[in-house]
Amino acid sequence: MSLIDKLNWRYATKKFDETKKLSAEQLNALLDAVQLAPSSAGLQAYRIIVVENPQVKEQLREAARGQQQLTTASHIIVFAAETNLDSAYVKTYIERIAATRGIDRATLEGFETNITHNINRMTEDVKIVWNHKQAYIALGVLLSAAADQGIDACPMEGFEAGRFDEILGLRELGLTTSVIAPIGFRAEDDVLSKAAKVRRPKAELFIHI
């Protein structure tokens, strides 16, 4: 199938088949794709928590209005924004660039100064909002990669972020929950899997200038 066919196939899965689990290979392929997601300045100012533990999934379900996807899915992917984006974070990133590309760190000083200046101009609240936005880009890559591999997913915002942070111990890691996506395989009796996809028509959605 083409990418368009696969995107037509995917939908926000409401009921997963809890007897079907992703293999280690399937999960790693998805995580490889998400690792390659673009982000502003390449900072990747977020982390990704992969939840498989049934007890933790049950706790998260309670913090997500009892939505069944959280316990019937194979895994829950939690995108969490960094809450401490500062010059030290940028310094670590610059050093990673130098080491990965085998270049003199001194040649990156201008790039480092520019990024640090832009970050220091932001208030802490603005930084977190910016980091949340970057996490959503990674979510989009996850959804596309899952569709490409025939894996179902459901992007979700209907949860209590503060409770997720507490359950997963994110505050201690300098993180806060952005968005989540249970992943797995659709149940045969999920009626929405057979429903026609509803989107705004192109003439209404796109503005050509």
Side-chain angles (χ1 to χ4, degrees):
M1 291 193 295
S2 70
L3 177 59
I4 297 300
D5 290 331
K6 291 173 179 178
L7 292 177
N8 271 308
W9 170 84
R10 69 149 301 277
Y11 73 110
T13 307
K14 296 299 184 283
K15 186 177 182 182
F16 290 91
D17 183 341
E18 54 191 315
T19 69
K20 296 181 179 179
K21 305 298 181 184
L22 271 71
S23 67
E25 292 75 17
Q26 288 172 317
L27 178 61
N28 285 332
L30 285 183
L31 299 183
D32 284 345
V34 176
Q35 184 185 22
L36 294 170
S39 64
S40 186
L43 285 170
Q44 293 179 295
Y46 51 80
R47 293 185 70 181
I48 297 157
I49 299 87
V50 181
V51 182
E52 186 176 9
N53 183 289
Q55 288 75 34
V56 176
K57 287 163 68 177
E58 186 62 48
Q59 292 179 61
L60 295 178
R61 177 174 176 168
E62 293 174 7
R65 306 169 190 169
Q67 296 178 84
Q68 66 177 346
Q69 296 99 311
L70 282 90
T71 49
T72 59
S74 175
H75 297 73
I76 303 170
I77 307 299
V78 179
F79 296 84
E82 296 278 357
T83 59
N84 300 311
L85 184 61
D86 55 17
S87 58
Y89 186 97
V90 176
K91 179 176 181 289
T92 299
Y93 171 54
I94 296 298
E95 290 171 349
R96 184 179 301 121
I97 294 175
T100 301
R101 296 179 176 171
I103 58 179
D104 185 352
R105 192 192 187 292
T107 65
L108 298 169
E109 287 181 359
F111 183 47
E112 180 177 10
T113 298
N114 184 53
I115 296 175
T116 303
H117 173 71
N118 288 334
I119 286 174
N120 288 341
R121 292 173 57 189
M122 303 180 194
T123 65
E124 294 305 311
D125 287 345
V126 170
K127 286 181 191 178
I128 292 176
V129 170
W130 188 50
N131 296 346
H132 282 315
K133 290 179 179 180
Q134 305 309 309
Y136 272 79
I137 297 173
L139 169 68
V141 172
L142 171 70
L143 298 179
S144 298
D148 184 58
Q149 295 182 48
I151 296 169
D152 289 292
C154 183
M156 299 173 67
E157 292 184 318
F159 59 89
E160 297 177 43
R163 288 189 63 193
F164 266 60
D165 293 352
E166 181 180 350
I167 292 166
L168 298 172
L170 299 186
R171 294 190 189 99
E172 294 80 1
L173 298 175
L175 301 167
T176 185
T177 307
S178 299
V179 65
I180 67 173
I183 57 174
F185 301 95
R186 66 189 67 179
E188 288 297 324
D189 60 348
D190 188 349
V191 294
L192 284 180
S193 68
K194 301 170 181 63
K197 194 176 292 294
V198 179
R199 294 291 187 272
R200 296 175 74 171
K202 288 182 178 179
E204 182 181 322
L205 180 61
F206 299 110
I207 299 174
H208 294 272
I209 298 176

